[in-house]
Structure formats: C-alpha cells, structure tokens
Amino acid sequence: MDTISATELVTASRADAFVAAAEAAAYKPLSGLQQVFEDAVVTRIGNAHYITVPLAGTNMAEMTKVVYVYDGKATTTVEFAAAVVDAAHARLQMWQDGVSIKDVELYDPALESATSGQSAIVQTGFSWSKLNKCLCPTRASPRGCSA
C-alpha cells in the first residue's frame, strides 16, 4: 500500500531561502509573463519542496504559475500558462525545463452560440473535467498522468 505524504507549508526564513534560490535560477517564463516572487508559496511533500511562483498578466491566474520542484539533488522547473481566449475558447500551455510538453486549446461551441453578441471575455462555463480529459485523455483522473 502506498503512503501519501502530508503537505507541509514552509514558512519564515526556510521559505525565503527557497524563494531566493528560485529567483537566482533566473528562469525566464516562456509564456512571456512575469514571475511574482513576493507571492510565492513553498510547500513540502515527502522529500520534495515545491516553490510555486504566480505569473502576472493573465486572465486565469489560478492556473498560471511556475513551479520549481527541488528533490534535494536537482530542480525541475514546470511552467503553466492558461488564458481564456474568448467565451468559447481557453488555452493551456505547459513547459518542463524549457521544453514544451502540452499546448491545449479547449473549445465549447455551445458556449459560443450561447454568448453570441456579448463582447466581454468571461470564464463562465470553463470545465475542469474537459481540461483534465485533454491533458490526460487515457486516464479517468489526472493524478499520475504522465506526459
């Protein structure tokens, strides 16, 4: 039976040290967005530390970030850039260590016809299950999905 490690929030000077190391890595987001290191969050799961740095300049901030994963030996950098393009389209791009691993555009024609005549971009109708199916079409759940 697998043991699931608890997530621990890392705070104070320990978190500051991890954030400073992430900033010193000088990673330039391939999305062209800016990292907001002052809003970074550091967590630990098992032996790995996750430094999650939000990216500014998108309309889907909750899914747009750079995550530095440090396992005690090496650091892996994963960037997620998501945006609502219009009422019926959203796009998610992912890079790992500077290499594109996913570029998915979601389209729901029902939303396009339901919102015709509207000029504002809205997030209404975004579907996590559709996004997960696009990212990992052979699994019922994205957990454990490999690229």
Side-chain angles (χ1 to χ4, degrees):
M1 176 182 238
D2 290 344
T3 303
I4 298 175
S5 297
T7 300
E8 172 193 340
L9 182 63
V10 178
T11 59
S13 61
R14 271 184 68 212
D16 293 343
F18 281 108
V19 172
E23 192 166 6
Y27 174 76
K28 300 286 185 213
L30 296 171
S31 62
L33 301 172
Q34 296 297 313
Q35 297 181 83
V36 185
F37 285 101
E38 56 269 14
D39 293 337
V41 174
V42 181
T43 54
R44 184 177 68 83
I45 301 173
N47 292 327
H49 286 83
Y50 297 81
I51 303 91
T52 303
V53 181
L55 292 171
T58 180
N59 55 13
M60 286 187 79
E62 61 277 357
M63 291 183 59
T64 304
K65 59 194 83 183
V66 175
V67 180
Y68 299 86
V69 182
Y70 177 66
D71 67 3
K73 298 175 187 162
T75 301
T76 299
T77 305
V78 182
E79 179 180 351
F80 303 88
V84 174
V85 178
D86 60 33
H89 295 85
R91 184 175 187 194
L92 174 68
Q93 296 173 281
M94 296 170 53
W95 297 268
Q96 182 172 331
D97 294 328
V99 176
S100 176
I101 58 174
K102 291 284 182 188
D103 189 348
V104 179
E105 184 172 312
L106 303 171
Y107 171 64
D108 188 340
L111 290 173
E112 187 170 64
S113 62
T115 59
S116 62
Q118 291 183 357
S119 61
I121 295 175
V122 295
Q123 290 188 24
T124 305
F126 180 79
S127 170
W128 284 102
S129 64
K130 286 182 183 180
L131 174 63
N132 288 332
K133 285 178 187 175
C134 285
L135 294 176
C136 195
T138 60
R139 300 213 193 255
S141 169
R143 183 177 288 274
C145 180
S146 59

